[in-house]
């Protein structure tokens, strides 16, 4: 992959060093990296690493300067043709953003700090298709001030090369160069401009007081900027008053590791603080945006939340800074070593340059241009574990089949869909957004699940048929993806479904009864592929997570249990009372605890509570928001599953847990036949004695049922893979045309 980095400059600074280390790591991983900036002290380092550098004056806001920079960028981007453009500051991001429309490159930005917000400056801000934020408070700032969608922001870190910044680095050459002797040295590294030099100025002003307390002390300040000369004059005056060189300003340097190694205590924030921590130096976190104090384990979370920039704490006055510095200097040697070792451990755990690079690569993967684009239409974004599982499994199946397919989901809740799967989603009822997604896609996937049915309502059926028709009007092929068909009761609806199925480019069905239903409607096409529900290939959460959730439900450990899943459904009469009796029977006869699961809490809770209240035996409820994978992990620990909801039964089958169905819809009965598992009866005329007999028969032949289910589950998982194979054939066929 060729990655183009655009930034203001490559002089001393946390963001600048971030870019240098990121670029070197990406280069080491085999990617081609190109940088455009106004230049600076780090240019020789990046070019020595085999990274091309272009000089572009993106460091000033003047209209003339920006127009010149834009023209240069346009020529460079046309020449280099990068796979990703990654801008690291507001001016470069704005300029690259103005070129994206015409040059059509994938565009990512990084936000390294908070900026002044005003009308004009807001207009000069472009955060790209995706944004990396180096701390939680910066992410929140982007959402609050610029309206960047939270799902488009990825938290990353300032990655530190812990080989370059190591306690093994020697500071002797630096001590010798600046005649620091063997005495105490306080180090500080930052960009020395008006906005960032607060701490450097304070250290200079504190020099006489520190010299009085620690005779012979040196203050070593590294960095350059528009305040450098002013600070240098102030330092020279302090040195004259003291009669010796106490404060040393080195100017901008690239050997920051050697600078930090020459110090006993470091004062600073952000990346420079982390670099000193990696060298096992005690660090006082203090900067222009805030002062947190001497870093220790108690301050870890606070420091992480602001990327070690102290933005949530007040800025230090001289008294506060003096107290923190002397606290660090007065520590016993053993305590300094302990804090230093903890600092390095913190960097190694949370701030590796490898993780920083991987964060960026993951974001690049989200936006990179793929060969094919598909839109998925289904019952997504409604907090229904079954349909969420379908979405996850289809997406993962597509990824496994090909990395060249991007997926956009029509969702009731795009944020929920992003949180669950990391998938781009548009609101399913926003007409123009849906049309835009259909217009730009290569195919529509309608499914999985039971979308083509009118038992829920004709309105629901018409919605899905209208999405299909919209894709057809744009000339896009439609794949009915692992659909469950029916029931479709109204004659006019049956005709509508028949027409949609006959026009579809590809039809895969999750069970044989769906194929039979279509043939009864008069569908004659021979290529109705019966595959399986894609959820059979969805992996569960780790076993430890399942056990943790069981503990949260207060289920006794190492006790067999039956998982029960019901949903609210009209016309069930005394079904809750009858089911309560069945649950009591399971506990009394087979010693199984009863655990209720909520697949869609808003639709399941009322009936679940009713059944529990009618039971004579105790029961448990898993009332924690769970992902489909987590529910599968819980079900994997069950002895038996009794369920109304289809995907509870499928989850159980996927985890090889024998199951008994409670039929409320033909789709449940159909899949029980596919699984060769029994039904305890229909919920609208439920008979307790029949259900008890069914359960006793299941338990009497438990091992046989388990063995048969394992075979069925494996066969269905294999059949489900055929969905993606057929999708790839469809997309490749479209491309050849």
């Amino acid at each position: 992959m060729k990655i183009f980095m655009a930034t203001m400059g490559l002089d001393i600074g946390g963001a600048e060093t971030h870019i240098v280390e990121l670029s070197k790591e990406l280069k080491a991983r085999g990617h081609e990296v190109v940088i455009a900036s106004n230049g600076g002290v780090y240019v020789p380092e990046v070019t020595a690493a085999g990274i091309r550098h272009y000089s572009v004056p993106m460091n000033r806001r003047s209209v003339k300067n920006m127009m010149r920079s834009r023209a240069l960028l346009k020529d460079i981007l046309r020449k280099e043709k990068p796979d990703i453009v990654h801008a690291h500051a507001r001016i470069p991001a704005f300029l690259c953003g103005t070129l994206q429309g015409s040059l059509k490159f994938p565009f990512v930005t990084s936000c390294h700090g908070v900026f002044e917000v005003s009308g004009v400056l807001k207009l000069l801000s472009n955060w790209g298709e995706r944004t990396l934020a180096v701390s939680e408070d910066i992410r929140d700032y982007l959402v609050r001030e610029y309206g960047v969608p939270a799902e488009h922001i990825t938290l990353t870190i300032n990655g530190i090369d812990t080989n370059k910044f190591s306690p093994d680095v020697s500071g002797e050459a630096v001590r010798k160069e600046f005649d620091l002797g063997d005495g105490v040295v306080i180090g500080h590294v930052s960009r020395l401009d008006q906005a960032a030099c607060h701490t450097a100025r304070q250290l200079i002003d504190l020099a006489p007081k520190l010299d009085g307390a620690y005779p012979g002390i040196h203050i070593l300040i590294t960095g350059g900027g528009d305040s450098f000369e002013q600070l240098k004059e102030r330092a020279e005056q302090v040195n004259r008053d003291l009669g010796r060189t106490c404060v040393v300003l080195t100017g901008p340097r690239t050997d920051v590791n050697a600078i930090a190694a020459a110090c006993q205590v470091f004062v600073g924030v952000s990346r420079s603080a982390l670099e000193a921590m990696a060298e096992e130096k005690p660090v006082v976190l203090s900067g222009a945006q805030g002062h947190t104090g001497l870093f220790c384990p108690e301050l870890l979370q606070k420091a992480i939340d602001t990327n070690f920039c102290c933005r949530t704490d007040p800025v230090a006055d001289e008294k506060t800074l003096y107290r923190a510095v002397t606290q660090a200097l007065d520590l016993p040697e053993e305590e300094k070593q302990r804090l230093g070792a903890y600092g390095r451990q913190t960097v190694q755990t949370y701030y590796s340059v490898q993780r920083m690079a991987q964060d960026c690569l993951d974001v690049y993967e989200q936006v990179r241009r793929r060969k094919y684009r598909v839109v998925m239409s289904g019952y997504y974004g409604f907090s229904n574990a079954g349909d969420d599982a379908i979405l996850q499994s289809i997406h993962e199946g597509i990824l496994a089949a090909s990395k060249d397919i991007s997926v956009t989901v029509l969702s009731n809740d795009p944020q929920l869909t992003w949180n669950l799967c990391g998938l781009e989603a548009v609101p399913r009822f926003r007409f123009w957004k849906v049309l835009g997604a259909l217009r730009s896609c290569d195919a529509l996937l309608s499914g999985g699940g039971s979308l083509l049915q009118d038992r829920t309502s004709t309105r629901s059926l018409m919605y899905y048929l209208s999405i299909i028709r919209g894709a057809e009007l744009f000339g896009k092929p439609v794949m009915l993806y692992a659909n469950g068909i029916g029931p479709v009761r109204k004659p006019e609806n049956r005709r509508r479904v028949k027409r949609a199925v006959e026009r579809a480019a590809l039809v895969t069905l999750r069970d044989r009864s769906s194929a039979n239903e279509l043939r009864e409607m008069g569908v004659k096409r021979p290529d109705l592929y019966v595959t399986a529900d894609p959820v059979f290939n969805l992996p569960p959460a780790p076993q430890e997570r399942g056990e943790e959730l069981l503990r949260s439900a207060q289920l006794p450990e190492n006790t067999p249990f039956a998982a029960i899943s019901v949903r609210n459904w009209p016309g069930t009469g005394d079904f809750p009372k009858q089911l309560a009796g069945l649950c009591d029977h399971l506990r009394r006869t087979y010693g199984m605890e009863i655990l209720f699961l909520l697949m869609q809490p808003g639709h399941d809770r009322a009936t679940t509570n009713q059944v529990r209240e009618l039971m004579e035996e105790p029961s448990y409820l898993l009332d924690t928001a769970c992902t489909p994978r987590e529910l599968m992990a819980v079900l994997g620990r069950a002895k038996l599953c009794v369920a109304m909801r289809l995907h509870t039964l499928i989850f159980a089958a996927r985890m090889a847990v024998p199951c008994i169905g409670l039929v409320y819809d033909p789709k449940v009965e159909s899949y029980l036949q596919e699984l060769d598992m029994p039904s305890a009866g229909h919920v609208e005329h439920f008979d307790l004695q029949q259900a008890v007999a069914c359960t006793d028969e299941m338990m009497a032949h438990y091992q046989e049922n388990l063995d048969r289910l394992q075979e069925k589950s494996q066969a269905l998982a294999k059949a489900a893979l055929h969905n993606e194979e057929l999708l790839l054939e469809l997309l490749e066929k479209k491309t050849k045309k």
Side-chain angles (χ1 to χ4, degrees):
M1 185 186 301
K2 183 188 282 190
I3 303 153
F4 181 83
M5 301 281 186
T7 189
M8 293 173 70
L10 289 179
D11 269 318
I12 295 295
E16 291 81 355
T17 314
H18 177 112
I19 296 161
V20 170
E21 294 298 338
L22 171 61
S23 299
K24 287 162 60 179
E25 177 64 20
L26 291 171
K27 176 71 176 176
R29 294 190 183 201
H31 300 284
E32 187 177 355
V33 182
V34 181
I35 300 178
S37 81
N38 190 52
V41 294
Y42 281 114
V43 171
E45 184 171 333
V46 296
T47 54
I51 296 167
R52 286 193 300 287
H53 178 268
Y54 289 93
S55 182
V56 181
M58 292 181 282
N59 58 325
R60 281 177 276 177
R61 295 181 195 163
S62 73
V63 174
K64 181 179 178 181
N65 213 60
M66 291 174 71
M67 289 180 65
R68 180 166 174 253
S69 294
R70 185 182 187 277
L72 288 170
L73 282 172
K74 187 174 184 179
D75 289 342
I76 295 165
L77 290 168
R78 281 178 169 171
K79 174 185 174 183
E80 293 287 351
K81 296 182 174 59
D83 299 302
I84 296 287
V85 172
H86 187 166
H88 288 267
R90 190 160 48 187
I91 293 174
F94 168 73
L95 294 172
C96 291
T98 66
L99 294 168
Q100 188 193 16
S102 59
L103 299 183
K104 307 295 183 186
F105 48 77
F107 184 31
V108 169
T109 64
S110 281
C111 187
H112 298 272
V114 297
F115 305 95
E116 177 189 348
V117 178
S118 70
V120 174
L121 291 179
K122 233 172 185 178
L123 291 174
L124 294 180
S125 300
N126 185 322
W127 300 109
E129 297 169 78
R130 291 291 186 276
T131 303
L132 291 128
V134 297
S135 66
E136 289 189 12
D137 65 323
I138 291 177
R139 177 196 60 194
D140 297 341
Y141 163 83
L142 289 170
V143 173
R144 182 180 67 252
E145 300 293 347
Y146 291 94
V148 180
E151 64 269 22
H152 287 185
I153 303 173
T154 296
L155 280 177
T156 188
I157 56 168
N158 276 323
I160 307 299
D161 183 344
T162 53
N163 292 318
K164 178 179 177 181
F165 292 91
S166 159
D168 297 331
V169 175
S170 172
E172 288 306 311
V174 170
R175 281 181 168 267
K176 185 175 181 181
E177 179 182 353
F178 295 107
D179 196 21
L180 302 178
D182 297 325
V184 175
V185 177
I186 298 171
H188 175 74
V189 178
S190 73
R191 194 172 61 253
L192 299 181
D193 56 29
Q194 193 61 36
C197 69
H198 175 79
T199 301
R201 182 177 286 108
Q202 283 187 325
L203 287 170
I204 294 170
D205 291 342
L206 283 171
K209 191 173 182 180
L210 287 166
D211 183 63
Y214 306 92
I217 195 170
H218 286 88
I219 299 171
L220 186 65
I221 298 174
T222 295
D226 55 27
S227 295
F228 178 80
E229 292 301 328
Q230 182 187 38
L231 292 171
K232 186 177 179 183
E233 286 180 20
R234 175 62 183 147
E236 289 172 349
Q237 181 61 53
V238 167
N239 290 337
R240 283 194 295 271
D241 292 344
L242 289 174
R244 70 176 187 88
T245 301
C246 175
V247 182
V248 176
L249 271 68
T250 71
R253 308 262 299 207
T254 59
D255 58 341
V256 177
N257 56 342
I259 296 288
C263 307
Q264 275 76 36
V265 170
F266 188 88
V267 180
V269 292
S270 190
R271 186 180 191 89
S272 61
L274 290 165
E275 289 169 345
M277 286 164 55
E279 296 196 11
E280 298 190 354
K281 304 296 179 181
V283 170
V284 175
L285 295 172
S286 190
Q289 294 179 315
H291 171 95
T292 300
L294 179 61
F295 179 70
C296 60
E298 292 74 26
L299 297 178
L300 175 62
Q301 194 55 54
K302 177 188 280 193
I304 286 176
D305 288 345
T306 66
N307 195 38
F308 282 75
C309 286
C310 312
R311 280 183 286 268
T312 56
D313 291 312
V315 175
D317 55 25
E318 287 187 15
K319 183 178 179 181
T320 301
L321 183 59
Y322 179 80
R323 186 165 55 246
V325 170
T326 55
Q327 178 192 0
L329 291 172
D330 292 342
L331 287 174
E333 196 57 38
E334 185 177 314
E335 181 65 9
K336 286 181 182 176
Q337 291 174 3
R338 187 187 71 80
L339 276 185
Y342 178 73
R344 180 169 175 81
Q345 178 191 335
T346 298
V347 173
Q348 290 175 321
T349 303
Y350 298 101
Y351 292 94
S352 72
V353 71
Q354 291 78 19
R355 183 198 143 181
M356 175 175 69
Q358 191 57 52
D359 287 343
C360 288
L361 290 170
D362 290 343
V363 172
Y364 299 162
E365 187 65 23
Q366 291 174 24
V367 301
R368 75 173 178 86
R369 301 294 183 253
R370 290 172 170 80
K371 188 175 180 181
Y372 306 115
R373 289 175 289 181
V374 300
V375 169
M376 284 181 61
S377 169
Y379 189 70
Y380 303 131
F382 289 92
S383 298
N384 182 304
D387 291 283
D388 289 344
I390 291 172
L391 176 60
Q392 283 186 282
S393 52
I394 292 177
H395 180 226
E396 292 186 11
I398 289 173
L399 281 179
S402 172
K403 300 295 184 185
D404 281 324
I405 304 175
S406 69
V407 177
T408 299
V409 182
L410 306 185
S411 172
N412 182 62
D413 186 341
Q415 179 68 62
L416 179 66
T417 298
W418 174 266
N419 293 343
L420 181 71
C421 303
L423 279 173
E424 187 75 27
V426 299
R428 75 200 301 259
F429 295 117
R430 295 284 293 275
F431 179 74
W432 294 113
K433 286 186 177 292
V434 171
L435 282 185
L438 293 175
R439 185 185 296 111
S440 61
C441 76
D442 294 299
L444 169 70
L445 309 187
S446 183
S450 301
L451 306 183
L452 302 184
Q453 51 83 25
D454 61 6
R455 185 181 181 96
T456 303
S457 69
T458 294
R459 185 173 63 179
S460 170
L461 173 63
M462 293 305 294
Y463 170 81
Y464 293 111
L465 290 177
S466 68
I467 297 297
I468 290 171
R469 190 61 183 147
E472 291 171 343
L473 290 174
F474 285 121
K476 309 300 182 179
V478 174
M479 175 182 181
L480 302 185
Y481 195 107
N483 272 214
I485 305 295
V488 185
R489 295 171 173 173
K490 296 180 180 179
E492 62 271 27
N493 288 342
R494 293 177 72 82
R495 288 193 292 272
R496 289 169 177 144
V497 170
K498 176 178 180 290
R499 286 196 297 270
V501 172
E502 287 178 336
R503 288 197 305 263
L506 177 62
V507 179
T508 67
L509 305 168
R510 71 181 179 193
D511 51 49
R512 286 184 294 272
S513 66
S514 292
N516 294 335
E517 175 76 359
L518 289 177
R519 291 190 181 99
E520 288 177 11
M521 289 182 193
V523 175
K524 299 188 183 303
R525 61 185 297 167
D527 58 340
L528 296 177
Y529 297 95
V530 178
T531 57
D533 194 294
V535 173
F536 277 100
N537 286 309
L538 184 68
Q543 179 179 317
E544 296 76 19
R545 177 56 180 158
E547 292 170 351
E548 181 183 339
L549 287 166
L550 290 174
R551 286 193 295 272
S552 75
Q554 300 184 333
L555 193 76
E557 290 193 34
N558 302 317
T559 302
F561 68 93
I564 313 295
S565 169
V566 294
R567 61 165 295 167
N568 301 346
W569 195 253
T572 56
D574 66 349
F575 165 69
K577 182 178 179 180
Q578 301 290 320
L579 180 59
L582 178 62
C583 292
D584 287 335
H585 174 74
L586 285 170
R587 190 173 191 276
R588 291 167 181 160
T589 307
Y590 300 104
M592 286 187 276
E593 298 293 349
I594 305 300
L595 176 68
F596 286 85
L597 306 178
L598 303 176
M599 293 286 284
Q600 191 175 14
H603 290 70
D604 299 357
R605 193 181 303 280
T607 301
T608 296
N609 289 340
Q610 193 177 2
V611 175
R612 294 186 71 203
E613 289 169 4
L614 291 167
M615 286 178 61
E616 296 176 3
E617 295 289 319
S619 67
Y620 301 87
L621 172 65
L622 180 58
D623 200 5
T624 302
C626 294
T627 66
R629 297 178 193 276
E630 290 173 333
L631 286 169
M632 289 170 66
V634 168
L635 275 163
R637 308 296 293 165
K639 178 84 171 175
L640 181 69
C641 174
V642 180
M644 279 179 72
R645 284 194 174 273
L646 173 64
H647 275 91
T648 314
L649 297 169
I650 291 176
F651 286 1
R654 167 70 179 83
M655 301 305 294
V657 174
C659 46
I660 297 172
L662 305 169
V663 177
Y664 76 97
D665 186 287
K667 67 183 181 182
V668 176
E669 198 158 24
S670 297
Y671 235 86
L672 287 170
Q673 293 171 7
E674 293 287 331
L675 297 172
D676 201 5
M677 288 285 111
S679 160
H682 198 288
V683 298
E684 293 177 10
H685 40 81
F686 196 74
D687 181 86
L688 176 59
Q689 297 309 313
Q690 177 187 332
V692 166
C694 173
T695 302
D696 290 344
E697 178 69 16
M698 165 67 79
M699 299 308 294
H701 302 92
Y702 185 85
Q703 190 59 48
E704 296 170 34
N705 287 318
L706 176 60
D707 293 343
R708 187 171 68 254
L709 181 62
Q710 287 174 329
E711 284 184 25
K712 287 281 184 181
S713 180
Q714 290 170 5
L716 289 167
K718 184 176 180 180
L721 295 174
H722 199 35
N723 291 310
E724 287 80 32
E725 295 169 2
L726 291 167
L727 170 61
L728 272 178
E729 289 178 13
L730 174 66
L731 292 170
E732 288 168 359
K733 189 186 302 181
K734 179 181 182 297
T735 302
K736 288 174 184 176
K737 287 182 181 178

